[in-house]
Amino acid sequence: MFNAGAYAQPPPATAYLCAACGEETELKPKEPVRCKTCGHRVLYKKRTSRMVQFEAR
Ligand SMILES: [Zn+2]
């Protein structure tokens, strides 16, 4: 069984860097991956510097 208490706390936002404009965008797990400044969908995960690309479905 899952621990219900684990879902009570909001998940931490993850910082991303936009591949298009370079602006930092913080996204929570349930938010759509998109730059809040320019709307670009290719964001770099800030800590790993690996490119994470999310295609719209
Ligand atoms: Zn951008």
Side-chain angles (χ1 to χ4, degrees), residues 5-13 28-29:
Y7 290 93
Q9 298 180 356
K28 295 173 185 176

Side-chain angles (χ1 to χ4, degrees), residues 1-12:
M1 295 299 287
F2 292 108
N3 183 359
Y7 290 93
Q9 298 180 356

Side-chain angles (χ1 to χ4, degrees), residues 1-43:
M1 295 299 287
F2 292 108
N3 183 359
Y7 290 93
Q9 298 180 356
T14 305
Y16 294 90
L17 290 176
C18 176
C21 71
E23 287 293 321
E24 181 177 326
T25 299
E26 284 193 351
L27 294 175
K28 295 173 185 176
K30 289 185 178 180
E31 288 186 304
V33 175
R34 193 170 64 182
C35 175
K36 292 176 181 175
T37 302
C38 73
H40 201 68
R41 286 198 181 91
V42 180
L43 303 177

